[in-house]
Every structure is written in structure tokens, then in C-alpha cells.
Amino acid sequence: MDNLIAARATMAFSLGFHIIFAAIGMTMPFLMSAAHYIYLKKGEKVYLELTRMWMKGVAILFAVGAVSGTVLSFELGLLWPEFMQHAGPIIGMPFSWEGTAFFVEAVAIGLFLYGWGRMKPWVHWGTGLAVGISGFISGIFVVAANSWMNAPQGFDWVDGRAINIDPVAAMFNQAWPHQSLHMQLAAVQAVGFAVGGVHALLYLRGRARDLNLKAMRIAMIFGATAALLQPISGHIAGEQIAKLQPAKLAAIEGHFKTSANAPLTIGGIPDVETQTMKWGIEIPGLLSILAHRDPSAVVIGLDQYPREDWPPVLIVHLAFQLMVALGMLMAFLGLLFFWFLRKGHFPGWFLWSLALATPLGMIAIEAGWIVTEVGRQPWIIYEIFRTEDAVTPVPGMVYHFYLFLALYLGLAAVSVWLFARQVRITQRKIESP
């Protein structure tokens, strides 16, 4: 494993680990606040127990997310010094604002954790809500930095360096709105389904059934709503990618030849050597419609780019197909959830479906980030600066990869154990006479 592959693998694994905790950190506080709100309105003790259980989960997962996020910041400088030399002055603003939002989030968590009985009830509830709002804002600022890498602006690139830097224009780049919308909805969808699935399983096992049913409802209201909105967000993102990163769109769809009335291929395996799609189902003109709202519109193919500028087509296409398939499945389950919620009864087969769907949102997030990051290759700053030119010249990055692989696997195991322990404690407390 050479330095470039080791550095990319380290960054990919670190980001893939952190994004799960970032999504949880953005969404769980809203679930917690919803349960707390119902308790304050109705006074039912079960909602208080649910709030406290989710509160402890938020604290545990916030700590792990803070650690993994800090590591990512160090890795940007450690693994990609040339990138940071050029990009640091340009994207420093969203990172500084993200740090401010993170600080507010940390303060709000402290107030909520230790404010029980020391603050007026609704003020205390407001601190919990502030945790979610600041976490959401923090995520938006991080995505602003990433979206700049996909749609760089706010500077002039002259003789291999950036001049005339405008950090405000860089932060509010063209890719920022659709990437932020898509990621925030993905976080709510993934966490809603994960939490809803866990509580559905506990309910089916007969554990604290009243608490788990109420918890599942709260979580799925968030998750199902996001799942139904996500296809709209995905369509908006697709139109923008067609405009800003046509090579990525071509890789996503396995679209090798520039053509009008371009077909959309469902499934299939792209063959880079023959530049054809195998075993897919083609729908004529649909790609032109989705990308440009016109069936006769020309969709740029990979044939318009040198071979060395192609993204890894197979990986990007398969990751996108997986993300879309899981998203549509969750949207269908979301429709069923609202149907059964209206009926006032959830049949057992549906609850088992939710339990089986627990990891689907997180898998979809990972697949989506593969599309975003791998689809930008070979550029670290799209069409300006290559990834291979940004990597550190220091040898031995493979050992860094193994070290952080072990660290993150350990953190994941401890996090799951701690969270499961808190759930078991709460369940026993509810079930005891």
C-alpha cells in the first residue's frame, strides 16, 4: 500500500466512522427534546424516562463524535499538507464557524445534563433543543467546506496558487445548498430509522413495551418525514451535479457516451474497457429529464474527459445505486408508518420490518459519501488540484492507517457497549414494580 492509497484509506475510514456519530449528534437531541416536550405537556413519567435515556446516549455519542472529529482535523494537516497550504486560507471561515457552533453545543449539553431541578422546566427544555440546533448548524458549516472542494470558488488560481481570496464566496459556493440539504435530511432519516428500529425490536421482545412503542413513534415521525423528503432533495442534488460536476454524474450513471435523450440505467455493471453498461434496465430519455428537465437535452459523458480524469466508475455507480435503493425502501416504509400511525395500530410484520431496517440509513449515508468523495477523484479541489499532489511526502502512512483503524474499532465497541448498557438500565427501571 503506497502513501497515497494509505492516506486516502485513513481519511475514508476516519470520515466513515465520524459521519455516523455526526449524524447521531445532529438528530438525537431533537428526539430527546421531543420526548421532553411531551413530558412537560402531559406529565407522563414514561416520557421523562425516555428523555433521560436518550440524554445519556446523546452525552456518550457526543463525546465519541468530538474525539473522532478532532482527529479528522489533525488528519487534514498530517495527510494532506499541500491541500491545507492552498485551501486553508479559503475554507478557514466555515471551519471556524463550525468550531463556534460546536462550542455552543457543548455548553448546551452541559446545561441540559446538569440543569435538572436547577432551571425552570421550559428553560431547561430549551437548552436541550439548543443542542440539536447548534449541532445541525455545525454540520452545515462542515458540509460548506466539503462542497467547496466540489465546486471551488472565491479565489483566482494563478501559477499554482490561490490569490484574490474571498472566503465568504467560497463558503457560500454553488454546491453548498444542495449538499447541506441532502446531508441534513440523510442524518434525520438514518437516525430516525436506527432508533425506531431498535425500539421496535425491544418492543417485539416484550421489553418495557409502552416506553419502546412511544420511542419508536417519536423516532419514526422524524425518520419517515425525512425519508419522504429525501427523493426531492436527491433530485435537486442530481440537477446541480449535472451542471457543476458532469464527470461525476457520468460515473454515477455509467454514462460513457455524450448523447441526447440519454437513458437512465437502473442497476447494471459499468464495463470501463468496453465503455458499456451490462445487465442494467435502461429507461430512454430519463437521465436527460432528471439532469436537465428536457428529454432531448444532451448529457455529457465520460468520453469528453481524458481517461486519467475519470473517477472510479464501478465504485461510484454501485455506491449510488445502493444509496438510491435503500432510500426508496425507507421512503416506502415511511409511507407505511404514517398509514399505520393514522390507523392507531402497528402490525407485527411492520415492526419486524423496522427492526431489520435499523442499519439501512447509516449504510445509505456511507454510500452517499463514497459517491461524493470518490466521484470527485482524481481531484481534491475539483479540476484545480489533484489528490496525488496534495498527499504528504512523509513515508509510513500505512502504519498510521493501521493505528487509527484499531483506535476507531475500539471506540466503536466501547460506544455500543455504553449505549446498550444505558438502554438496559432504563428498560429494567421501567419494568421493575
Side-chain angles (χ1 to χ4, degrees), residues 30-75:
F30 289 113
L31 272 61
M32 175 188 73
S33 296
H36 194 194
Y37 177 86
I38 298 172
Y39 166 70
L40 292 175
K41 280 290 188 179
K42 295 185 175 182
E44 295 181 26
K45 188 178 179 182
V46 65
Y47 287 107
L48 175 61
E49 296 298 338
L50 181 57
T51 301
R52 289 182 180 274
M53 181 179 70
W54 281 347
M55 173 192 72
K56 293 172 183 176
V58 167
I60 292 168
L61 299 173
F62 173 82
V64 177
V67 171
S68 59
T70 302
V71 169
L72 275 173
S73 300
F74 281 109
E75 284 181 342

mmCIF file of all heavy atoms in Angstrom, residues 30-75:
data_model
loop_
_atom_site.group_PDB
_atom_site.id
_atom_site.type_symbol
_atom_site.label_atom_id
_atom_site.label_comp_id
_atom_site.label_asym_id
_atom_site.label_seq_id
_atom_site.Cartn_x
_atom_site.Cartn_y
_atom_site.Cartn_z
ATOM 1 N N PHE A 30 -32.864 16.279 18.968
ATOM 2 C CA PHE A 30 -34.240 16.633 18.604
ATOM 3 C C PHE A 30 -35.221 15.566 19.078
ATOM 4 O O PHE A 30 -36.328 15.886 19.527
ATOM 5 C CB PHE A 30 -34.349 16.828 17.093
ATOM 6 C CG PHE A 30 -33.682 18.072 16.595
ATOM 7 C CD1 PHE A 30 -32.557 17.998 15.785
ATOM 8 C CD2 PHE A 30 -34.172 19.326 16.931
ATOM 9 C CE1 PHE A 30 -31.944 19.149 15.321
ATOM 10 C CE2 PHE A 30 -33.564 20.489 16.468
ATOM 11 C CZ PHE A 30 -32.432 20.393 15.667
ATOM 12 N N LEU A 31 -34.828 14.295 18.982
ATOM 13 C CA LEU A 31 -35.673 13.227 19.507
ATOM 14 C C LEU A 31 -35.828 13.375 21.019
ATOM 15 O O LEU A 31 -36.929 13.251 21.571
ATOM 16 C CB LEU A 31 -35.074 11.866 19.173
ATOM 17 C CG LEU A 31 -35.449 11.234 17.829
ATOM 18 C CD1 LEU A 31 -35.014 12.118 16.656
ATOM 19 C CD2 LEU A 31 -34.818 9.848 17.680
ATOM 20 N N MET A 32 -34.703 13.650 21.677
ATOM 21 C CA MET A 32 -34.706 13.856 23.125
ATOM 22 C C MET A 32 -35.607 15.035 23.500
ATOM 23 O O MET A 32 -36.415 14.945 24.447
ATOM 24 C CB MET A 32 -33.276 14.117 23.599
ATOM 25 C CG MET A 32 -33.107 14.465 25.068
ATOM 26 S SD MET A 32 -31.400 14.965 25.409
ATOM 27 C CE MET A 32 -31.357 16.611 24.650
ATOM 28 N N SER A 33 -35.502 16.123 22.767
ATOM 29 C CA SER A 33 -36.312 17.312 23.053
ATOM 30 C C SER A 33 -37.793 17.049 22.807
ATOM 31 O O SER A 33 -38.653 17.583 23.524
ATOM 32 C CB SER A 33 -35.847 18.491 22.188
ATOM 33 O OG SER A 33 -34.522 18.861 22.516
ATOM 34 N N ALA A 34 -38.097 16.224 21.792
ATOM 35 C CA ALA A 34 -39.493 15.898 21.519
ATOM 36 C C ALA A 34 -40.096 15.116 22.685
ATOM 37 O O ALA A 34 -41.225 15.397 23.125
ATOM 38 C CB ALA A 34 -39.607 15.098 20.222
ATOM 39 N N ALA A 35 -39.353 14.122 23.187
ATOM 40 C CA ALA A 35 -39.838 13.342 24.336
ATOM 41 C C ALA A 35 -39.991 14.228 25.565
ATOM 42 O O ALA A 35 -40.975 14.119 26.316
ATOM 43 C CB ALA A 35 -38.867 12.195 24.622
ATOM 44 N N HIS A 36 -39.032 15.137 25.774
ATOM 45 C CA HIS A 36 -39.086 16.044 26.914
ATOM 46 C C HIS A 36 -40.286 16.993 26.800
ATOM 47 O O HIS A 36 -40.977 17.275 27.794
ATOM 48 C CB HIS A 36 -37.780 16.838 26.985
ATOM 49 C CG HIS A 36 -37.573 17.555 28.272
ATOM 50 N ND1 HIS A 36 -36.617 18.530 28.436
ATOM 51 C CD2 HIS A 36 -38.214 17.466 29.467
ATOM 52 C CE1 HIS A 36 -36.667 18.984 29.677
ATOM 53 N NE2 HIS A 36 -37.630 18.367 30.315
ATOM 54 N N TYR A 37 -40.546 17.462 25.594
ATOM 55 C CA TYR A 37 -41.685 18.354 25.355
ATOM 56 C C TYR A 37 -43.001 17.659 25.713
ATOM 57 O O TYR A 37 -43.863 18.239 26.389
ATOM 58 C CB TYR A 37 -41.698 18.790 23.892
ATOM 59 C CG TYR A 37 -42.872 19.656 23.510
ATOM 60 C CD1 TYR A 37 -42.835 21.031 23.691
ATOM 61 C CD2 TYR A 37 -44.028 19.084 22.973
ATOM 62 C CE1 TYR A 37 -43.911 21.827 23.348
ATOM 63 C CE2 TYR A 37 -45.116 19.876 22.624
ATOM 64 C CZ TYR A 37 -45.051 21.250 22.815
ATOM 65 O OH TYR A 37 -46.125 22.032 22.471
ATOM 66 N N ILE A 38 -43.151 16.409 25.272
ATOM 67 C CA ILE A 38 -44.383 15.667 25.567
ATOM 68 C C ILE A 38 -44.534 15.451 27.065
ATOM 69 O O ILE A 38 -45.638 15.550 27.614
ATOM 70 C CB ILE A 38 -44.387 14.327 24.809
ATOM 71 C CG1 ILE A 38 -44.359 14.570 23.300
ATOM 72 C CG2 ILE A 38 -45.622 13.504 25.176
ATOM 73 C CD1 ILE A 38 -44.179 13.321 22.474
ATOM 74 N N TYR A 39 -43.394 15.180 27.736
ATOM 75 C CA TYR A 39 -43.463 15.009 29.191
ATOM 76 C C TYR A 39 -43.934 16.293 29.874
ATOM 77 O O TYR A 39 -44.795 16.264 30.761
ATOM 78 C CB TYR A 39 -42.095 14.608 29.732
ATOM 79 C CG TYR A 39 -42.001 14.748 31.234
ATOM 80 C CD1 TYR A 39 -42.710 13.893 32.081
ATOM 81 C CD2 TYR A 39 -41.231 15.763 31.818
ATOM 82 C CE1 TYR A 39 -42.658 14.039 33.457
ATOM 83 C CE2 TYR A 39 -41.168 15.914 33.191
ATOM 84 C CZ TYR A 39 -41.888 15.045 34.002
ATOM 85 O OH TYR A 39 -41.830 15.199 35.372
ATOM 86 N N LEU A 40 -43.365 17.426 29.460
ATOM 87 C CA LEU A 40 -43.757 18.692 30.075
ATOM 88 C C LEU A 40 -45.218 19.028 29.798
ATOM 89 O O LEU A 40 -45.891 19.658 30.627
ATOM 90 C CB LEU A 40 -42.852 19.819 29.577
ATOM 91 C CG LEU A 40 -41.387 19.760 30.028
ATOM 92 C CD1 LEU A 40 -40.577 20.858 29.359
ATOM 93 C CD2 LEU A 40 -41.282 19.859 31.548
ATOM 94 N N LYS A 41 -45.723 18.616 28.640
ATOM 95 C CA LYS A 41 -47.118 18.886 28.287
ATOM 96 C C LYS A 41 -48.085 17.931 28.982
ATOM 97 O O LYS A 41 -49.137 18.341 29.479
ATOM 98 C CB LYS A 41 -47.290 18.780 26.764
ATOM 99 C CG LYS A 41 -46.847 20.010 25.987
ATOM 100 C CD LYS A 41 -47.803 21.173 26.250
ATOM 101 C CE LYS A 41 -47.510 22.347 25.354
ATOM 102 N NZ LYS A 41 -48.451 23.474 25.582
ATOM 103 N N LYS A 42 -47.731 16.640 29.008
ATOM 104 C CA LYS A 42 -48.667 15.626 29.503
ATOM 105 C C LYS A 42 -48.365 15.149 30.917
ATOM 106 O O LYS A 42 -49.235 14.610 31.588
ATOM 107 C CB LYS A 42 -48.672 14.425 28.562
ATOM 108 C CG LYS A 42 -49.213 14.716 27.163
ATOM 109 C CD LYS A 42 -49.289 13.441 26.340
ATOM 110 C CE LYS A 42 -49.937 13.690 24.993
ATOM 111 N NZ LYS A 42 -50.057 12.431 24.203
ATOM 112 N N GLY A 43 -47.096 15.277 31.319
ATOM 113 C CA GLY A 43 -46.726 14.828 32.650
ATOM 114 C C GLY A 43 -46.613 13.327 32.808
ATOM 115 O O GLY A 43 -46.537 12.824 33.930
ATOM 116 N N GLU A 44 -46.568 12.578 31.701
ATOM 117 C CA GLU A 44 -46.457 11.123 31.774
ATOM 118 C C GLU A 44 -45.000 10.736 32.052
ATOM 119 O O GLU A 44 -44.095 11.103 31.299
ATOM 120 C CB GLU A 44 -46.932 10.473 30.482
ATOM 121 C CG GLU A 44 -48.407 10.673 30.206
ATOM 122 C CD GLU A 44 -48.854 9.993 28.932
ATOM 123 O OE1 GLU A 44 -48.216 9.000 28.530
ATOM 124 O OE2 GLU A 44 -49.845 10.461 28.323
ATOM 125 N N LYS A 45 -44.799 9.960 33.108
ATOM 126 C CA LYS A 45 -43.453 9.645 33.560
ATOM 127 C C LYS A 45 -42.646 8.881 32.522
ATOM 128 O O LYS A 45 -41.422 8.999 32.462
ATOM 129 C CB LYS A 45 -43.521 8.846 34.868
ATOM 130 C CG LYS A 45 -42.162 8.639 35.505
ATOM 131 C CD LYS A 45 -42.262 7.899 36.825
ATOM 132 C CE LYS A 45 -40.872 7.682 37.418
ATOM 133 N NZ LYS A 45 -40.938 6.923 38.692
ATOM 134 N N VAL A 46 -43.330 8.095 31.690
ATOM 135 C CA VAL A 46 -42.618 7.289 30.714
ATOM 136 C C VAL A 46 -41.818 8.176 29.756
ATOM 137 O O VAL A 46 -40.706 7.829 29.329
ATOM 138 C CB VAL A 46 -43.597 6.375 29.938
ATOM 139 C CG1 VAL A 46 -44.571 7.187 29.097
ATOM 140 C CG2 VAL A 46 -42.828 5.398 29.056
ATOM 141 N N TYR A 47 -42.347 9.360 29.456
ATOM 142 C CA TYR A 47 -41.614 10.277 28.572
ATOM 143 C C TYR A 47 -40.411 10.889 29.283
ATOM 144 O O TYR A 47 -39.397 11.195 28.637
ATOM 145 C CB TYR A 47 -42.547 11.375 28.058
ATOM 146 C CG TYR A 47 -43.524 10.884 27.023
ATOM 147 C CD1 TYR A 47 -44.873 10.719 27.334
ATOM 148 C CD2 TYR A 47 -43.096 10.571 25.738
ATOM 149 C CE1 TYR A 47 -45.779 10.259 26.378
ATOM 150 C CE2 TYR A 47 -43.983 10.116 24.776
ATOM 151 C CZ TYR A 47 -45.326 9.957 25.106
ATOM 152 O OH TYR A 47 -46.208 9.493 24.163
ATOM 153 N N LEU A 48 -40.497 11.046 30.588
ATOM 154 C CA LEU A 48 -39.351 11.521 31.347
ATOM 155 C C LEU A 48 -38.232 10.484 31.321
ATOM 156 O O LEU A 48 -37.061 10.820 31.118
ATOM 157 C CB LEU A 48 -39.760 11.818 32.793
ATOM 158 C CG LEU A 48 -38.628 12.217 33.750
ATOM 159 C CD1 LEU A 48 -37.956 13.500 33.272
ATOM 160 C CD2 LEU A 48 -39.174 12.385 35.171
ATOM 161 N N GLU A 49 -38.592 9.210 31.520
ATOM 162 C CA GLU A 49 -37.590 8.136 31.468
ATOM 163 C C GLU A 49 -36.972 8.052 30.087
ATOM 164 O O GLU A 49 -35.760 7.838 29.940
ATOM 165 C CB GLU A 49 -38.224 6.803 31.850
ATOM 166 C CG GLU A 49 -38.742 6.733 33.274
ATOM 167 C CD GLU A 49 -37.640 6.902 34.304
ATOM 168 O OE1 GLU A 49 -36.464 6.664 33.974
ATOM 169 O OE2 GLU A 49 -37.951 7.289 35.444
ATOM 170 N N LEU A 50 -37.783 8.222 29.064
ATOM 171 C CA LEU A 50 -37.277 8.185 27.698
ATOM 172 C C LEU A 50 -36.323 9.347 27.443
ATOM 173 O O LEU A 50 -35.257 9.176 26.830
ATOM 174 C CB LEU A 50 -38.455 8.235 26.720
ATOM 175 C CG LEU A 50 -38.129 8.174 25.227
ATOM 176 C CD1 LEU A 50 -37.327 6.930 24.897
ATOM 177 C CD2 LEU A 50 -39.410 8.233 24.407
ATOM 178 N N THR A 51 -36.687 10.521 27.926
ATOM 179 C CA THR A 51 -35.820 11.693 27.778
ATOM 180 C C THR A 51 -34.473 11.457 28.443
ATOM 181 O O THR A 51 -33.416 11.741 27.857
ATOM 182 C CB THR A 51 -36.481 12.941 28.395
ATOM 183 O OG1 THR A 51 -37.727 13.180 27.763
ATOM 184 C CG2 THR A 51 -35.587 14.164 28.232
ATOM 185 N N ARG A 52 -34.497 10.929 29.662
ATOM 186 C CA ARG A 52 -33.241 10.696 30.390
ATOM 187 C C ARG A 52 -32.393 9.629 29.707
ATOM 188 O O ARG A 52 -31.164 9.748 29.659
ATOM 189 C CB ARG A 52 -33.554 10.292 31.832
ATOM 190 C CG ARG A 52 -34.104 11.430 32.689
ATOM 191 C CD ARG A 52 -34.340 10.971 34.114
ATOM 192 N NE ARG A 52 -34.874 12.028 34.968
ATOM 193 C CZ ARG A 52 -34.131 12.923 35.612
ATOM 194 N NH1 ARG A 52 -32.813 12.889 35.492
ATOM 195 N NH2 ARG A 52 -34.697 13.841 36.381
ATOM 196 N N MET A 53 -33.030 8.595 29.180
ATOM 197 C CA MET A 53 -32.274 7.557 28.483
ATOM 198 C C MET A 53 -31.606 8.120 27.238
ATOM 199 O O MET A 53 -30.415 7.899 26.993
ATOM 200 C CB MET A 53 -33.199 6.407 28.098
ATOM 201 C CG MET A 53 -32.484 5.258 27.388
ATOM 202 S SD MET A 53 -33.590 3.897 26.963
ATOM 203 C CE MET A 53 -34.566 4.669 25.657
ATOM 204 N N TRP A 54 -32.373 8.850 26.434
ATOM 205 C CA TRP A 54 -31.797 9.432 25.228
ATOM 206 C C TRP A 54 -30.757 10.506 25.569
ATOM 207 O O TRP A 54 -29.776 10.674 24.843
ATOM 208 C CB TRP A 54 -32.901 10.000 24.359
ATOM 209 C CG TRP A 54 -33.629 8.945 23.572
ATOM 210 C CD1 TRP A 54 -33.248 7.650 23.383
ATOM 211 C CD2 TRP A 54 -34.855 9.108 22.848
ATOM 212 N NE1 TRP A 54 -34.159 6.987 22.589
ATOM 213 C CE2 TRP A 54 -35.154 7.864 22.247
ATOM 214 C CE3 TRP A 54 -35.728 10.169 22.661
ATOM 215 C CZ2 TRP A 54 -36.290 7.658 21.456
ATOM 216 C CZ3 TRP A 54 -36.864 9.973 21.874
ATOM 217 C CH2 TRP A 54 -37.140 8.731 21.281
ATOM 218 N N MET A 55 -30.954 11.209 26.683
ATOM 219 C CA MET A 55 -29.987 12.223 27.118
ATOM 220 C C MET A 55 -28.621 11.587 27.365
ATOM 221 O O MET A 55 -27.580 12.111 26.938
ATOM 222 C CB MET A 55 -30.487 12.907 28.384
ATOM 223 C CG MET A 55 -29.501 13.879 29.032
ATOM 224 S SD MET A 55 -30.020 14.382 30.691
ATOM 225 C CE MET A 55 -29.704 12.852 31.604
ATOM 226 N N LYS A 56 -28.616 10.431 28.040
ATOM 227 C CA LYS A 56 -27.347 9.757 28.311
ATOM 228 C C LYS A 56 -26.701 9.273 27.019
ATOM 229 O O LYS A 56 -25.475 9.324 26.867
ATOM 230 C CB LYS A 56 -27.581 8.595 29.273
ATOM 231 C CG LYS A 56 -28.002 9.056 30.674
ATOM 232 C CD LYS A 56 -28.412 7.893 31.564
ATOM 233 C CE LYS A 56 -28.885 8.393 32.925
ATOM 234 N NZ LYS A 56 -29.371 7.289 33.780
ATOM 235 N N GLY A 57 -27.529 8.809 26.094
ATOM 236 C CA GLY A 57 -26.992 8.418 24.797
ATOM 237 C C GLY A 57 -26.372 9.584 24.055
ATOM 238 O O GLY A 57 -25.301 9.460 23.449
ATOM 239 N N VAL A 58 -27.045 10.742 24.103
ATOM 240 C CA VAL A 58 -26.510 11.944 23.455
ATOM 241 C C VAL A 58 -25.150 12.314 24.044
ATOM 242 O O VAL A 58 -24.208 12.645 23.313
ATOM 243 C CB VAL A 58 -27.504 13.125 23.605
ATOM 244 C CG1 VAL A 58 -26.834 14.450 23.230
ATOM 245 C CG2 VAL A 58 -28.730 12.897 22.739
ATOM 246 N N ALA A 59 -25.024 12.238 25.363
ATOM 247 C CA ALA A 59 -23.762 12.591 26.019
ATOM 248 C C ALA A 59 -22.638 11.649 25.603
ATOM 249 O O ALA A 59 -21.513 12.080 25.290
ATOM 250 C CB ALA A 59 -23.942 12.562 27.533
ATOM 251 N N ILE A 60 -22.927 10.343 25.582
ATOM 252 C CA ILE A 60 -21.910 9.354 25.207
ATOM 253 C C ILE A 60 -21.464 9.562 23.766
ATOM 254 O O ILE A 60 -20.264 9.637 23.461
ATOM 255 C CB ILE A 60 -22.461 7.931 25.398
ATOM 256 C CG1 ILE A 60 -22.680 7.625 26.884
ATOM 257 C CG2 ILE A 60 -21.503 6.896 24.786
ATOM 258 C CD1 ILE A 60 -23.480 6.374 27.137
ATOM 259 N N LEU A 61 -22.430 9.662 22.879
ATOM 260 C CA LEU A 61 -22.113 9.746 21.457
ATOM 261 C C LEU A 61 -21.527 11.106 21.087
ATOM 262 O O LEU A 61 -20.728 11.207 20.150
ATOM 263 C CB LEU A 61 -23.364 9.452 20.636
ATOM 264 C CG LEU A 61 -23.936 8.040 20.883
ATOM 265 C CD1 LEU A 61 -25.267 7.865 20.175
ATOM 266 C CD2 LEU A 61 -22.953 6.973 20.450
ATOM 267 N N PHE A 62 -21.892 12.162 21.819
ATOM 268 C CA PHE A 62 -21.270 13.471 21.601
ATOM 269 C C PHE A 62 -19.777 13.403 21.906
ATOM 270 O O PHE A 62 -18.951 13.947 21.160
ATOM 271 C CB PHE A 62 -21.929 14.525 22.484
ATOM 272 C CG PHE A 62 -21.253 15.867 22.446
ATOM 273 C CD1 PHE A 62 -21.503 16.762 21.423
ATOM 274 C CD2 PHE A 62 -20.341 16.234 23.439
ATOM 275 C CE1 PHE A 62 -20.878 18.003 21.385
ATOM 276 C CE2 PHE A 62 -19.713 17.464 23.408
ATOM 277 C CZ PHE A 62 -19.981 18.357 22.373
ATOM 278 N N ALA A 63 -19.426 12.722 22.995
ATOM 279 C CA ALA A 63 -18.017 12.613 23.375
ATOM 280 C C ALA A 63 -17.218 11.870 22.310
ATOM 281 O O ALA A 63 -16.123 12.298 21.907
ATOM 282 C CB ALA A 63 -17.896 11.901 24.722
ATOM 283 N N VAL A 64 -17.768 10.757 21.811
ATOM 284 C CA VAL A 64 -17.064 9.988 20.780
ATOM 285 C C VAL A 64 -16.976 10.798 19.486
ATOM 286 O O VAL A 64 -15.939 10.811 18.815
ATOM 287 C CB VAL A 64 -17.780 8.648 20.535
ATOM 288 C CG1 VAL A 64 -17.089 7.872 19.412
ATOM 289 C CG2 VAL A 64 -17.792 7.811 21.809
ATOM 290 N N GLY A 65 -18.051 11.481 19.118
ATOM 291 C CA GLY A 65 -18.027 12.303 17.918
ATOM 292 C C GLY A 65 -17.029 13.440 18.012
ATOM 293 O O GLY A 65 -16.368 13.788 17.021
ATOM 294 N N ALA A 66 -16.898 14.026 19.204
ATOM 295 C CA ALA A 66 -15.924 15.101 19.390
ATOM 296 C C ALA A 66 -14.500 14.587 19.188
ATOM 297 O O ALA A 66 -13.673 15.241 18.532
ATOM 298 C CB ALA A 66 -16.064 15.700 20.784
ATOM 299 N N VAL A 67 -14.222 13.403 19.705
ATOM 300 C CA VAL A 67 -12.883 12.818 19.552
ATOM 301 C C VAL A 67 -12.595 12.516 18.091
ATOM 302 O O VAL A 67 -11.547 12.894 17.547
ATOM 303 C CB VAL A 67 -12.758 11.538 20.401
ATOM 304 C CG1 VAL A 67 -11.457 10.809 20.075
ATOM 305 C CG2 VAL A 67 -12.810 11.871 21.882
ATOM 306 N N SER A 68 -13.529 11.834 17.421
ATOM 307 C CA SER A 68 -13.285 11.446 16.025
ATOM 308 C C SER A 68 -13.243 12.662 15.110
ATOM 309 O O SER A 68 -12.486 12.688 14.132
ATOM 310 C CB SER A 68 -14.352 10.457 15.556
ATOM 311 O OG SER A 68 -15.651 11.007 15.665
ATOM 312 N N GLY A 69 -14.030 13.690 15.411
ATOM 313 C CA GLY A 69 -13.983 14.907 14.614
ATOM 314 C C GLY A 69 -12.676 15.665 14.774
ATOM 315 O O GLY A 69 -12.139 16.220 13.811
ATOM 316 N N THR A 70 -12.149 15.675 15.999
ATOM 317 C CA THR A 70 -10.860 16.323 16.246
ATOM 318 C C THR A 70 -9.748 15.619 15.489
ATOM 319 O O THR A 70 -8.858 16.254 14.910
ATOM 320 C CB THR A 70 -10.548 16.328 17.755
ATOM 321 O OG1 THR A 70 -11.602 17.017 18.440
ATOM 322 C CG2 THR A 70 -9.229 17.024 18.030
ATOM 323 N N VAL A 71 -9.813 14.291 15.462
ATOM 324 C CA VAL A 71 -8.814 13.515 14.723
ATOM 325 C C VAL A 71 -8.850 13.872 13.244
ATOM 326 O O VAL A 71 -7.807 14.018 12.599
ATOM 327 C CB VAL A 71 -9.051 12.008 14.934
ATOM 328 C CG1 VAL A 71 -8.189 11.189 13.972
ATOM 329 C CG2 VAL A 71 -8.750 11.614 16.372
ATOM 330 N N LEU A 72 -10.051 14.027 12.697
ATOM 331 C CA LEU A 72 -10.167 14.403 11.282
ATOM 332 C C LEU A 72 -9.482 15.735 10.999
ATOM 333 O O LEU A 72 -8.836 15.908 9.964
ATOM 334 C CB LEU A 72 -11.639 14.488 10.888
ATOM 335 C CG LEU A 72 -12.335 13.196 10.478
ATOM 336 C CD1 LEU A 72 -13.824 13.436 10.301
ATOM 337 C CD2 LEU A 72 -11.739 12.639 9.192
ATOM 338 N N SER A 73 -9.627 16.674 11.907
ATOM 339 C CA SER A 73 -8.985 17.979 11.725
ATOM 340 C C SER A 73 -7.471 17.844 11.659
ATOM 341 O O SER A 73 -6.801 18.464 10.819
ATOM 342 C CB SER A 73 -9.384 18.914 12.872
ATOM 343 O OG SER A 73 -10.773 19.113 12.914
ATOM 344 N N PHE A 74 -6.920 17.018 12.551
ATOM 345 C CA PHE A 74 -5.472 16.799 12.530
ATOM 346 C C PHE A 74 -5.041 16.080 11.252
ATOM 347 O O PHE A 74 -3.973 16.358 10.697
ATOM 348 C CB PHE A 74 -5.037 15.990 13.754
ATOM 349 C CG PHE A 74 -4.930 16.804 15.011
ATOM 350 C CD1 PHE A 74 -5.850 16.662 16.035
ATOM 351 C CD2 PHE A 74 -3.916 17.741 15.165
ATOM 352 C CE1 PHE A 74 -5.764 17.423 17.188
ATOM 353 C CE2 PHE A 74 -3.817 18.509 16.311
ATOM 354 C CZ PHE A 74 -4.741 18.350 17.337
ATOM 355 N N GLU A 75 -5.876 15.143 10.792
ATOM 356 C CA GLU A 75 -5.505 14.371 9.603
ATOM 357 C C GLU A 75 -5.444 15.241 8.351
ATOM 358 O O GLU A 75 -4.663 14.957 7.438
ATOM 359 C CB GLU A 75 -6.491 13.227 9.404
ATOM 360 C CG GLU A 75 -6.268 12.077 10.364
ATOM 361 C CD GLU A 75 -7.233 10.931 10.154
ATOM 362 O OE1 GLU A 75 -8.283 11.149 9.509
ATOM 363 O OE2 GLU A 75 -6.950 9.822 10.635
#
